[in-house]
Amino acid sequence: MVVVLDTVSANPIRPRHPEKVNRPDAPSPPKPDWIRVRAPNTRGYAETRRIVKENGLVTVCEEAGCPNIGECWDKKHATFMIMGDTCTRACAFCNVKTGMPGALEASEPEYVAEATRKLGLAHVVVTSVDRDDLDDGGAEHFVQTIRAIRERCPTTTIEILTPDFLRKDGALEKVVAAKPDVFNHNLETVPSRYLTVRPGARYFHSIRLLQRVKEIDPTIFTKSGIMVGLGEERHEVLQVMDDLRSADVDFLTIGQYLQPTRKHHAVIRYVTPEEFSGHETVAYTKGFLMVSASPLTRSSHHAGEDFAKLQAARAKLSR
Protein backbone atom coordinates (compact mmCIF):
# COMPACT_ATOMS: atom_id res chain seq x y z
CA MET A 1 0.00 0.00 0.00
CA VAL A 2 1.33 3.45 -0.94
CA VAL A 3 0.70 6.55 1.20
CA VAL A 4 1.08 9.78 -0.76
CA LEU A 5 2.10 12.96 1.07
CA ASP A 6 1.29 16.19 -0.74
CA THR A 7 4.21 18.62 -0.24
CA VAL A 8 3.45 20.82 -3.25
CA SER A 9 -0.10 22.15 -2.93
CA ALA A 10 -0.86 25.32 -0.98
CA ASN A 11 -3.26 23.24 1.17
CA PRO A 12 -1.62 19.82 1.31
CA ILE A 13 -3.81 16.79 1.97
CA ARG A 14 -3.25 15.59 5.51
CA PRO A 15 -2.98 11.82 5.92
CA ARG A 16 -6.00 10.29 7.64
CA HIS A 17 -3.68 8.51 10.08
CA PRO A 18 -0.42 10.49 10.23
CA GLU A 19 0.88 8.39 13.11
CA LYS A 20 0.70 5.27 10.93
CA VAL A 21 2.28 6.63 7.73
CA ASN A 22 5.77 5.33 8.47
CA ARG A 23 4.70 1.96 9.80
CA PRO A 24 5.51 -1.10 7.70
CA ASP A 25 2.56 -2.73 5.97
CA ALA A 26 0.84 -5.42 8.01
CA PRO A 27 -0.80 -7.75 5.47
CA SER A 28 -3.79 -9.82 6.57
CA PRO A 29 -4.88 -13.22 5.21
CA PRO A 30 -7.55 -13.23 2.46
CA LYS A 31 -11.12 -12.84 3.68
CA PRO A 32 -13.12 -16.05 3.89
CA ASP A 33 -16.51 -16.39 2.22
CA TRP A 34 -18.46 -15.76 5.42
CA ILE A 35 -17.06 -12.20 5.69
CA ARG A 36 -18.23 -10.92 2.30
CA VAL A 37 -21.07 -8.37 2.07
CA ARG A 38 -22.88 -6.66 -0.79
CA ALA A 39 -22.05 -3.11 -1.88
CA PRO A 40 -24.69 -0.59 -0.68
CA ASN A 41 -26.90 0.55 -3.58
CA THR A 42 -30.54 0.51 -2.41
CA ARG A 43 -33.07 3.34 -2.34
CA GLY A 44 -33.24 3.20 1.46
CA TYR A 45 -29.46 3.56 1.67
CA ALA A 46 -29.54 6.61 -0.61
CA GLU A 47 -32.32 8.24 1.43
CA THR A 48 -30.48 7.70 4.72
CA ARG A 49 -27.29 9.13 3.23
CA ARG A 50 -29.21 12.19 2.01
CA ILE A 51 -30.68 12.89 5.48
CA VAL A 52 -27.30 12.45 7.17
CA LYS A 53 -25.58 14.84 4.74
CA GLU A 54 -28.37 17.44 4.77
CA ASN A 55 -28.04 17.70 8.56
CA GLY A 56 -24.23 17.92 8.37
CA LEU A 57 -23.77 14.85 10.56
CA VAL A 58 -20.98 12.32 10.92
CA THR A 59 -21.72 8.61 11.27
CA VAL A 60 -19.50 5.89 12.64
CA CYS A 61 -20.96 3.70 9.89
CA GLU A 62 -18.94 5.67 7.33
CA GLU A 63 -15.94 6.76 9.40
CA ALA A 64 -15.16 3.29 10.73
CA GLY A 65 -15.92 1.55 7.43
CA CYS A 66 -18.62 -0.70 8.92
CA PRO A 67 -19.36 -3.72 6.70
CA ASN A 68 -23.05 -3.58 7.65
CA ILE A 69 -23.69 -0.06 6.36
CA GLY A 70 -25.68 -1.26 3.34
CA GLU A 71 -28.02 -3.40 5.41
CA CYS A 72 -28.52 -0.84 8.20
CA TRP A 73 -28.91 2.25 6.04
CA ASP A 74 -31.38 0.45 3.80
CA LYS A 75 -33.57 0.22 6.93
CA LYS A 76 -32.77 3.87 7.79
CA HIS A 77 -30.71 2.84 10.81
CA ALA A 78 -27.67 5.10 11.22
CA THR A 79 -25.32 5.49 14.18
CA PHE A 80 -24.48 9.15 14.74
CA MET A 81 -20.95 10.12 15.77
CA ILE A 82 -20.90 13.41 17.64
CA MET A 83 -18.10 15.87 18.44
CA GLY A 84 -16.53 15.81 14.99
CA ASP A 85 -14.76 13.29 12.80
CA THR A 86 -11.28 13.51 14.36
CA CYS A 87 -10.20 11.44 17.36
CA THR A 88 -7.48 12.30 19.88
CA ARG A 89 -6.54 8.62 20.26
CA ALA A 90 -4.69 6.50 17.71
CA CYS A 91 -5.90 2.94 18.23
CA ALA A 92 -4.28 0.37 15.97
CA PHE A 93 -7.61 -1.08 14.80
CA CYS A 94 -9.68 2.03 14.12
CA ASN A 95 -10.25 3.84 10.82
CA VAL A 96 -11.58 7.07 12.36
CA LYS A 97 -9.32 10.01 11.52
CA THR A 98 -6.75 10.95 14.17
CA GLY A 99 -5.42 14.37 15.10
CA MET A 100 -6.41 17.50 17.02
CA PRO A 101 -10.21 18.02 16.72
CA GLY A 102 -11.90 21.35 16.17
CA ALA A 103 -14.31 23.16 18.46
CA LEU A 104 -17.62 21.52 19.33
CA GLU A 105 -20.62 22.46 17.18
CA ALA A 106 -23.18 23.86 19.62
CA SER A 107 -26.09 23.05 17.30
CA GLU A 108 -25.06 19.43 16.73
CA PRO A 109 -27.43 17.95 19.36
CA GLU A 110 -30.36 19.58 17.57
CA TYR A 111 -29.16 18.29 14.20
CA VAL A 112 -28.94 14.75 15.60
CA ALA A 113 -32.43 15.04 17.05
CA GLU A 114 -33.84 16.31 13.75
CA ALA A 115 -32.18 13.52 11.78
CA THR A 116 -33.59 11.02 14.29
CA ARG A 117 -37.05 12.42 13.64
CA LYS A 118 -36.67 12.41 9.85
CA LEU A 119 -35.41 8.81 9.83
CA GLY A 120 -38.27 7.76 12.10
CA LEU A 121 -35.95 5.95 14.49
CA ALA A 122 -37.64 4.09 17.33
CA HIS A 123 -34.17 3.42 18.80
CA VAL A 124 -31.17 5.63 18.12
CA VAL A 125 -27.48 4.98 18.78
CA VAL A 126 -25.13 7.91 19.43
CA THR A 127 -21.39 7.49 19.74
CA SER A 128 -18.42 9.86 19.59
CA VAL A 129 -14.74 10.22 18.93
CA ASP A 130 -12.45 10.41 21.95
CA ARG A 131 -12.06 14.03 23.03
CA ASP A 132 -9.16 14.00 25.49
CA ASP A 133 -8.70 17.71 24.71
CA LEU A 134 -11.95 18.63 26.51
CA ASP A 135 -12.13 19.06 30.29
CA ASP A 136 -15.08 16.66 30.56
CA GLY A 137 -14.20 14.46 27.57
CA GLY A 138 -17.39 15.64 25.86
CA ALA A 139 -19.77 14.45 28.60
CA GLU A 140 -21.90 17.60 28.49
CA HIS A 141 -22.26 17.27 24.72
CA PHE A 142 -23.61 13.75 25.21
CA VAL A 143 -26.06 15.13 27.77
CA GLN A 144 -27.26 17.88 25.42
CA THR A 145 -27.71 15.35 22.61
CA ILE A 146 -29.77 13.02 24.80
CA ARG A 147 -31.96 15.94 25.91
CA ALA A 148 -32.48 17.19 22.35
CA ILE A 149 -33.54 13.75 21.12
CA ARG A 150 -35.91 13.31 24.07
CA GLU A 151 -37.51 16.68 23.40
CA ARG A 152 -38.04 16.12 19.67
CA CYS A 153 -38.60 12.34 19.70
CA PRO A 154 -40.05 11.51 23.13
CA THR A 155 -40.84 7.88 22.31
CA THR A 156 -37.41 7.08 20.86
CA THR A 157 -35.16 5.01 23.09
CA ILE A 158 -31.54 6.14 23.27
CA GLU A 159 -28.36 4.09 23.29
CA ILE A 160 -25.01 5.78 23.76
CA LEU A 161 -21.59 4.32 22.97
CA THR A 162 -19.10 6.43 24.90
CA PRO A 163 -15.33 6.81 25.18
CA ASP A 164 -13.73 5.90 28.50
CA PHE A 165 -13.64 9.43 30.01
CA LEU A 166 -10.16 8.58 31.31
CA ARG A 167 -9.00 11.13 33.90
CA LYS A 168 -12.23 13.17 33.48
CA ASP A 169 -13.61 13.41 37.01
CA GLY A 170 -17.39 13.68 37.16
CA ALA A 171 -17.89 13.11 33.43
CA LEU A 172 -19.45 9.65 33.72
CA GLU A 173 -21.82 10.73 36.46
CA LYS A 174 -23.03 13.61 34.31
CA VAL A 175 -23.87 11.32 31.39
CA VAL A 176 -25.57 8.67 33.54
CA ALA A 177 -27.75 11.38 35.13
CA ALA A 178 -29.19 12.07 31.66
CA LYS A 179 -30.59 8.51 31.78
CA PRO A 180 -29.86 6.95 28.39
CA ASP A 181 -31.73 3.67 27.95
CA VAL A 182 -28.51 1.78 27.11
CA PHE A 183 -24.97 2.74 28.14
CA ASN A 184 -22.39 1.05 25.91
CA HIS A 185 -18.64 1.23 26.28
CA ASN A 186 -16.51 -1.23 24.33
CA LEU A 187 -13.50 -3.01 25.79
CA GLU A 188 -12.47 -3.75 22.16
CA THR A 189 -9.99 -6.53 23.01
CA VAL A 190 -8.52 -8.67 25.78
CA PRO A 191 -6.14 -7.10 28.34
CA SER A 192 -2.97 -8.64 26.88
CA ARG A 193 -3.56 -6.88 23.55
CA TYR A 194 -4.12 -3.36 24.94
CA LEU A 195 -0.57 -2.08 24.49
CA THR A 196 -0.60 -2.87 20.76
CA VAL A 197 -4.31 -2.48 19.96
CA ARG A 198 -5.65 0.19 22.32
CA PRO A 199 -2.59 1.86 23.89
CA GLY A 200 -4.35 5.02 25.06
CA ALA A 201 -6.87 3.11 27.18
CA ARG A 202 -6.76 1.08 30.40
CA TYR A 203 -8.64 -2.23 30.58
CA PHE A 204 -9.62 -2.14 34.24
CA HIS A 205 -10.62 1.51 34.02
CA SER A 206 -13.11 0.52 31.31
CA ILE A 207 -14.43 -2.36 33.44
CA ARG A 208 -14.84 0.01 36.37
CA LEU A 209 -16.62 2.56 34.16
CA LEU A 210 -19.28 0.00 33.27
CA GLN A 211 -19.58 -1.15 36.86
CA ARG A 212 -20.02 2.43 38.03
CA VAL A 213 -22.94 2.98 35.64
CA LYS A 214 -24.84 0.18 37.38
CA GLU A 215 -23.94 1.51 40.82
CA ILE A 216 -25.35 4.93 39.96
CA ASP A 217 -28.47 3.75 38.12
CA PRO A 218 -29.25 0.00 38.06
CA THR A 219 -32.16 0.58 35.65
CA ILE A 220 -29.85 1.50 32.75
CA PHE A 221 -28.88 -1.40 30.51
CA THR A 222 -25.10 -1.73 30.12
CA LYS A 223 -23.35 -3.14 27.10
CA SER A 224 -19.82 -3.82 25.91
CA GLY A 225 -18.08 -5.51 23.01
CA ILE A 226 -14.81 -6.96 21.83
CA MET A 227 -13.26 -7.87 18.49
CA VAL A 228 -11.58 -11.22 17.91
CA GLY A 229 -8.89 -12.17 15.44
CA LEU A 230 -6.29 -9.84 16.97
CA GLY A 231 -4.14 -12.57 18.47
CA GLU A 232 -6.15 -13.26 21.61
CA GLU A 233 -6.52 -16.76 23.11
CA ARG A 234 -9.86 -18.41 23.84
CA HIS A 235 -9.29 -18.43 27.60
CA GLU A 236 -8.73 -14.66 27.46
CA VAL A 237 -12.10 -14.13 25.78
CA LEU A 238 -13.73 -16.20 28.54
CA GLN A 239 -11.96 -14.10 31.18
CA VAL A 240 -13.33 -10.91 29.57
CA MET A 241 -16.81 -12.40 29.86
CA ASP A 242 -16.24 -13.03 33.58
CA ASP A 243 -14.87 -9.52 34.13
CA LEU A 244 -17.91 -7.98 32.43
CA ARG A 245 -20.31 -10.09 34.44
CA SER A 246 -18.52 -9.03 37.62
CA ALA A 247 -19.41 -5.48 36.56
CA ASP A 248 -23.04 -6.58 36.01
CA VAL A 249 -22.95 -5.85 32.27
CA ASP A 250 -26.15 -6.98 30.52
CA PHE A 251 -25.20 -7.24 26.85
CA LEU A 252 -22.07 -8.56 25.16
CA THR A 253 -21.14 -8.25 21.48
CA ILE A 254 -18.30 -10.16 19.82
CA GLY A 255 -17.32 -9.53 16.20
CA GLN A 256 -14.48 -10.22 13.79
CA TYR A 257 -11.78 -7.56 13.51
CA LEU A 258 -11.35 -6.36 9.92
CA GLN A 259 -8.24 -4.42 8.93
CA PRO A 260 -9.11 -0.96 7.51
CA THR A 261 -5.73 -0.48 5.75
CA ARG A 262 -2.38 -2.25 5.67
CA LYS A 263 -1.05 0.35 8.11
CA HIS A 264 -3.49 -0.85 10.76
CA HIS A 265 -3.11 -3.91 12.96
CA ALA A 266 -3.15 -7.11 10.92
CA VAL A 267 -5.90 -9.69 11.18
CA ILE A 268 -4.12 -12.58 12.88
CA ARG A 269 -6.86 -15.01 11.94
CA TYR A 270 -10.49 -15.17 10.87
CA VAL A 271 -12.62 -16.78 13.55
CA THR A 272 -15.12 -19.28 12.17
CA PRO A 273 -18.90 -18.92 12.57
CA GLU A 274 -18.85 -22.10 14.66
CA GLU A 275 -16.41 -20.52 17.13
CA PHE A 276 -18.62 -17.44 17.40
CA SER A 277 -21.59 -19.68 18.12
CA GLY A 278 -19.57 -21.33 20.88
CA HIS A 279 -18.70 -17.95 22.42
CA GLU A 280 -22.39 -17.00 22.39
CA THR A 281 -23.42 -20.20 24.14
CA VAL A 282 -20.79 -19.79 26.86
CA ALA A 283 -21.67 -16.11 27.37
CA TYR A 284 -25.32 -16.93 27.99
CA THR A 285 -24.33 -19.53 30.59
CA LYS A 286 -22.36 -16.81 32.38
CA GLY A 287 -25.50 -14.73 32.83
CA PHE A 288 -25.63 -12.07 30.11
CA LEU A 289 -29.18 -11.01 29.26
CA MET A 290 -28.24 -10.59 25.61
CA VAL A 291 -25.34 -11.82 23.47
CA SER A 292 -24.55 -11.15 19.83
CA ALA A 293 -21.56 -13.05 18.48
CA SER A 294 -20.89 -13.48 14.77
CA PRO A 295 -18.27 -12.46 12.19
CA LEU A 296 -20.19 -9.31 11.21
CA THR A 297 -21.50 -8.37 14.66
CA ARG A 298 -20.91 -4.71 15.47
CA SER A 299 -21.95 -2.65 18.52
CA SER A 300 -24.94 -0.98 16.94
CA HIS A 301 -25.93 -3.70 14.46
CA HIS A 302 -29.62 -4.57 15.02
CA ALA A 303 -29.54 -2.31 18.09
CA GLY A 304 -33.28 -1.60 18.06
CA GLU A 305 -34.30 -5.25 17.84
CA ASP A 306 -31.72 -6.18 20.46
CA PHE A 307 -33.03 -3.51 22.85
CA ALA A 308 -36.49 -5.07 22.70
CA LYS A 309 -34.93 -8.47 23.48
CA LEU A 310 -33.04 -6.92 26.41
CA GLN A 311 -36.26 -5.55 27.87
CA ALA A 312 -37.98 -8.91 27.46
CA ALA A 313 -35.08 -10.77 29.10
CA ARG A 314 -35.10 -8.44 32.11
CA ALA A 315 -38.88 -8.73 32.43
CA LYS A 316 -38.61 -12.51 32.40
CA LEU A 317 -36.08 -12.44 35.24
CA SER A 318 -38.32 -10.24 37.40
CA ARG A 319 -41.31 -12.57 37.20
Side-chain angles (χ1 to χ4, degrees), residues 13-30:
I13 299 172
R14 183 180 183 275
R16 187 175 180 86
H17 301 285
E19 79 289 349
K20 295 178 175 69
V21 166
N22 294 318
R23 289 184 183 176
D25 286 359
S28 295

Side-chain angles (χ1 to χ4, degrees), residues 30-289:
K31 290 181 183 177
D33 291 340
W34 63 78
I35 292 293
R36 305 188 188 282
V37 294
R38 293 181 178 179
N41 60 359
T42 64
R43 181 177 298 177
Y45 170 85
E47 177 66 7
T48 300
R49 189 174 189 279
R50 181 186 64 79
I51 291 171
V52 167
K53 298 308 176 187
E54 281 182 355
N55 286 273
L57 298 172
V58 177
T59 69
V60 74
C61 321
E62 296 169 291
E63 296 301 315
C66 180
N68 302 313
I69 188 170
E71 176 192 347
C72 294
W73 281 28
D74 181 51
K75 300 175 183 177
K76 295 188 176 181
H77 295 169
T79 298
F80 302 115
M81 190 167 78
I82 59 176
M83 295 189 269
D85 64 355
T86 304
C87 187
T88 53
R89 304 267 175 101
C91 297
F93 66 88
C94 186
N95 198 39
V96 174
K97 190 162 52 176
T98 55
M100 181 54 68
L104 294 179
E105 170 56 67
S107 300
E108 186 176 47
E110 292 298 329
Y111 296 152
V112 171
E114 179 61 13
T116 300
R117 185 191 68 79
K118 287 180 178 178
L119 290 169
L121 296 177
H123 183 84
V124 62
V125 183
V126 179
T127 187
S128 78
V129 291
D130 274 286
R131 291 298 302 257
D132 297 305
D133 58 309
L134 301 175
D135 290 341
D136 69 350
E140 181 61 29
H141 208 68
F142 265 107
V143 171
Q144 294 303 323
T145 302
I146 292 168
R147 288 175 179 167
I149 294 170
R150 286 255 160 81
E151 183 173 338
R152 195 160 304 195
C153 309
T155 63
T156 298
T157 49
I158 302 171
E159 178 172 332
I160 58 171
L161 171 54
T162 76
D164 59 12
F165 299 122
L166 188 63
R167 304 183 188 91
K168 305 296 182 182
D169 292 344
L172 174 68
E173 290 76 10
K174 187 183 298 186
V175 176
V176 174
K179 294 188 74 70
D181 297 282
V182 181
F183 190 107
N184 185 1
H185 171 65
N186 286 333
L187 295 179
E188 307 294 4
T189 188
V190 301
S192 69
R193 306 304 301 157
Y194 261 53
L195 282 178
T196 54
V197 174
R198 198 181 178 218
R202 301 293 179 269
Y203 177 80
F204 287 105
H205 169 82
S206 288
I207 290 287
R208 178 59 183 148
L209 183 90
L210 291 158
Q211 184 180 45
R212 182 75 180 125
V213 174
K214 282 292 192 183
E215 290 174 353
I216 300 169
D217 189 342
T219 68
I220 295 176
F221 288 105
T222 50
K223 179 176 177 180
S224 189
I226 63 169
M227 302 168 289
V228 289
L230 284 159
E232 71 291 328
E233 299 290 339
R234 183 175 185 275
H235 70 87
E236 294 181 295
V237 175
L238 301 184
Q239 184 61 59
V240 167
M241 294 181 190
D242 288 338
D243 292 342
L244 287 172
R245 286 303 301 134
S246 72
D248 201 21
V249 170
D250 301 301
F251 189 173
L252 170 66
T253 62
I254 307 176
Q256 172 70 53
Y257 166 63
L258 298 176
Q259 186 184 33
T261 74
R262 285 179 178 253
K263 297 297 180 182
H264 286 77
H265 195 294
V267 175
I268 304 304
R269 76 182 185 100
Y270 289 103
V271 177
T272 66
E274 292 74 22
E275 288 178 88
F276 278 106
S277 180
H279 285 322
E280 182 174 305
T281 299
V282 171
Y284 273 121
T285 67
K286 290 179 180 292
F288 290 97
L289 291 181

